[in-house]
Amino acid sequence: MQQVHIIIANNSHLHYAQEICEVISDSAKVRGTGIAKRTPNYVQNKMINGNAIIALSGNQFAGFCYIEVWGHEKYVAHSGLIVHPDFRNQGLAKKIKEFTFNYSLSKYPASKVFGITTGLAVMKINSDLGYKPVTFSELTDDPKFWAGCKTCTNYDILTSKDHKMCLCTGMLYDPDQKRKKKEKWYNKKVLKRLKNIKQTMLATNKQLVLWKK
């Protein structure tokens, strides 16, 4: 693995914002999944506020993730986790996620950490960190968070389900539960099967709605 340093991004990293957004967008297209788009300006603001993590190999961008704060710091979320194609399959995503997770716990110690994702690899990483799968009702009700999903190709599914269900799986880490024994729940085959069932159900429901029209 090429030598990569993971650090808290700052003003000196603003010029990477455009490339970061392009890699995130290209990755979503390759996977065929929906994703909430972010602008370079949005990413730069995260860097300026000290809520972004960047991985660099020399001056080359290798990976990225940022922190979002919701509900007056009651919740925080990690978003935009991405690894540049040149650095994939080396375990870097997990290292960036772990760095971001530990940094957010130190910066926002009383906040619950949550995320929504369609990626099985991210679910595995979250599971190892102590996240548990939850319903959307257990996540933040901050309308600004859900508004961020408007640019996702699956937004019509989310709204048709009154923000209670989508192709993403909600996951939550509660710091109040950190002393409890971690339960191993992650099973890739089960989650993949659940994801396929969810996709089939939502696709069928969408067809029925169109038929009724």
Side-chain angles (χ1 to χ4, degrees):
M1 179 177 177
Q2 302 177 59
Q3 188 173 17
V4 176
H5 297 285
I6 302 173
I7 57 176
I8 301 168
N10 55 50
N11 291 24
S12 68
H13 303 112
L14 299 181
H15 62 284
Y16 290 106
Q18 181 64 45
E19 183 180 7
I20 289 170
C21 291
E22 290 174 356
V23 174
I24 291 175
S25 179
D26 291 344
S27 178
K29 291 176 182 177
V30 171
R31 296 197 311 268
T33 58
I35 190 170
K37 297 179 181 178
R38 294 291 182 256
T39 65
N41 184 61
Y42 187 90
V43 169
Q44 289 176 339
N45 284 335
K46 291 298 177 183
M47 293 177 174
I48 293 170
N49 294 331
N51 278 342
I53 306 301
I54 192 168
L56 297 171
S57 178
N59 292 322
Q60 184 179 359
F61 160 65
F64 182 76
C65 190
Y66 62 85
I67 300 170
E68 294 182 299
V69 182
W70 305 105
H72 304 289
E73 297 188 8
K74 183 178 180 181
Y75 295 92
V76 298
H78 305 152
S79 301
L81 177 61
I82 191 66
V83 172
H84 189 282
D86 293 347
F87 297 87
R88 289 175 185 167
N89 302 314
Q90 300 177 27
L92 182 57
K94 183 176 182 179
K95 291 181 180 180
I96 294 174
K97 179 68 176 182
E98 288 177 343
F99 187 104
T100 306
F101 178 76
N102 291 325
Y103 174 57
S104 64
L105 288 183
S106 64
K107 189 171 183 179
Y108 305 101
S111 302
K112 294 180 180 180
V113 186
F114 78 95
I116 58 174
T117 181
T118 58
L120 295 178
V122 176
M123 291 182 201
K124 176 62 168 62
I125 294 173
N126 287 348
S127 173
D128 291 342
L129 291 173
Y131 287 67
K132 298 293 187 295
V134 295
T135 62
F136 282 10
S137 63
E138 295 179 68
L139 307 179
T140 179
D141 59 359
D142 192 322
K144 290 184 179 179
F145 171 78
W146 299 107
C149 295
K150 287 182 178 180
T151 55
C152 176
T153 56
N154 298 319
Y155 186 66
D156 60 333
I157 297 176
L158 179 66
T159 54
S160 69
K161 297 299 179 181
D162 196 26
H163 295 79
K164 295 178 181 178
M165 181 182 180
C166 196
L167 296 186
C168 283
T169 296
M171 303 189 71
L172 181 73
Y173 174 88
D174 187 343
D176 291 337
Q177 304 296 319
K178 64 183 178 181
R179 288 192 174 87
K180 291 187 177 181
K181 184 178 179 181
K182 290 185 179 180
E183 298 178 1
K184 293 294 183 180
W185 62 268
Y186 182 88
N187 185 300
K188 184 175 181 179
K189 290 183 178 179
V190 171
L191 284 171
K192 191 171 184 178
R193 187 161 61 247
L194 178 62
K195 181 180 176 181
N196 290 336
I197 291 172
K198 188 188 294 186
Q199 288 176 321
T200 301
M201 290 174 60
L202 292 173
T204 301
N205 181 73
K206 191 173 183 180
Q207 289 177 349
L208 288 173
V209 171
L210 291 174
W211 180 77
K212 290 179 180 179
K213 290 181 178 180

